[in-house]
Amino acid sequence: MEQAAALIGKALNATSLLAPRLAGAGAYRVFRLPLKRAAARPAEQEVLADADIGKLSVGGETAVTYRWGSGARPVLLVHGWQSRGSCFARFVPGLLEQGLSPIAFDAPAHGDATGDTTNVLAFQDAILQLSEQYGEFEAIISHSVGVMASALALRSGVRAGRLVAISGVCEFTYLFDQFCDQLALRPRLRAELRGRIERDIFPGEQDIWQRFSAVHRAAELTLPILLFHDENDQRVGMDQARRMATGFGDRARLVTTKGLGHRRILDDPDVVQGALDFVAAARNDGSAGAEAVTR
């Protein structure tokens, strides 16, 4: 992946010297293009075999939905970039044991959904549609870019009792900067890409770089929040979790892990059980506690 990104970056930078707009269009497409489509692992396939599978129309593409249980007391599972709904397979049995109904989806350009390109608004749209279908969620469990999409959806009217944010992206600017750094894009090409994102993904929107932050208008999200993040996460830096912990204040608790990285954290038994316990816990008048806990 790193080698492919380096080659793409070199090609875009070279093109930008002669045809900056063409290079900008190419960078814009790559920005919305997951460079790989995750396949369901054998253990995930076993869990998917027991799911009721449906479809959603999202931005002209077809997202795939998965439901376990009757649909009563739903818990939404929101995957991240280059991932798929089945990445939460280890969470499903425990949620079912609590009498909950796990609901997952493959966003456009991910998993078994259609499409080649997508963006965070497509994730948000899928969440909004599932909210209309199932009503208030007992909880939302999200990962990576799915964390930011979940926060956006919650601010847009989706209701949930609790939020679990694993390896979460907090700032939209972080995604942009990380992408540009990974491809080593020249400053002029960065500026061209930034303008295209503003014009094409968010036409007419104001202050997108601030508004599309998980902690923008943080006071509006009053639900308890549990954050998990690994110290060695090379995809999403630890500072993103700290920003959320600080932004949400005493409503959030941050649990720091070691040696799990960005994706293996979803398979860690302690993380899974911690999330399940948090979902099961009855609401109380106390705070979730913003202090960091290291395991």
Side-chain angles (χ1 to χ4, degrees):
M1 290 297 294
E2 291 182 2
Q3 184 177 8
L7 292 173
I8 292 170
K10 287 182 179 179
L12 290 171
N13 282 326
T15 303
S16 71
L17 296 176
L18 298 174
R21 289 189 177 182
L22 179 62
Y28 176 66
R29 175 170 174 78
V30 176
F31 182 76
R32 300 175 297 124
L33 178 70
L35 293 179
K36 68 176 181 179
R37 187 181 288 253
R41 297 172 296 177
E44 295 176 12
Q45 293 174 1
E46 293 180 9
V47 175
L48 289 177
D50 294 328
D52 289 325
I53 299 177
K55 296 179 179 180
L56 290 177
S57 178
V58 178
E61 300 295 346
T62 301
V64 179
T65 64
Y66 308 93
R67 191 199 75 211
W68 296 266
S70 66
R73 302 182 64 202
V75 172
L76 183 64
L77 309 173
V78 186
H79 70 79
W81 198 253
Q82 297 179 347
S83 188
R84 56 183 298 138
S86 61
C87 71
F88 294 100
R90 292 187 181 275
F91 294 77
V92 170
L95 292 170
L96 289 171
E97 289 176 4
Q98 293 184 28
L100 302 169
S101 296
I103 311 291
F105 65 92
D106 294 340
H110 291 78
D112 292 332
T114 65
D116 296 320
T117 62
T118 191
N119 58 61
V120 68
L121 293 182
F123 283 67
Q124 180 189 22
D125 185 14
I127 296 170
L128 290 170
Q129 290 192 52
L130 289 170
S131 175
E132 293 175 359
Q133 182 175 350
Y134 290 101
E136 180 173 354
F137 298 111
E138 294 269 331
I140 296 176
I141 302 176
S142 53
H143 178 244
S144 192
V145 172
V147 172
M148 183 170 65
S150 297
L152 296 176
L154 287 165
R155 289 206 309 269
S156 299
V158 171
R159 296 180 58 82
R162 296 190 165 217
L163 173 64
V164 179
I166 305 171
S167 308
V169 175
C170 178
E171 307 290 349
F172 187 57
T173 52
Y174 181 87
L175 292 178
F176 176 79
D177 291 338
Q178 184 189 53
F179 174 81
C180 292
D181 290 345
Q182 185 179 23
L183 271 63
L185 299 185
R186 298 176 183 272
R188 184 178 178 183
L189 185 50
R190 287 184 181 227
E192 175 70 21
L193 174 59
R194 186 181 179 97
R196 285 180 177 270
I197 291 171
E198 293 170 349
R199 293 191 305 270
D200 296 346
I201 300 181
F202 308 101
E205 299 275 3
Q206 300 296 319
D207 300 323
I208 66 166
W209 304 100
Q210 177 182 359
R211 189 163 67 82
F212 284 82
S213 163
V215 295
H216 180 59
R217 301 200 319 253
E220 295 181 10
L221 301 189
T222 59
L223 74 175
I225 300 170
L226 179 61
L227 307 165
F228 289 99
H229 214 101
D230 194 79
E231 290 182 351
N232 305 116
D233 191 329
Q234 300 299 310
R235 180 65 65 86
V236 179
M238 188 72 201
D239 66 299
Q240 293 294 289
R242 294 193 181 101
R243 285 176 181 268
M244 282 189 280
T246 300
F248 291 121
D250 62 4
R251 299 185 302 286
R253 179 164 62 92
L254 172 59
V255 177
T256 303
T257 63
K258 295 181 179 179
L260 297 177
H262 187 65
R263 296 190 183 278
R264 286 186 297 113
I265 194 170
L266 291 173
D267 296 327
D268 181 72
D270 290 336
V271 171
V272 173
Q273 191 59 52
L276 294 175
D277 291 345
F278 179 72
V279 171
R283 296 193 188 190
N284 54 62
D285 294 332
S287 67
E291 74 279 3
V293 178
T294 303
R295 291 196 294 99

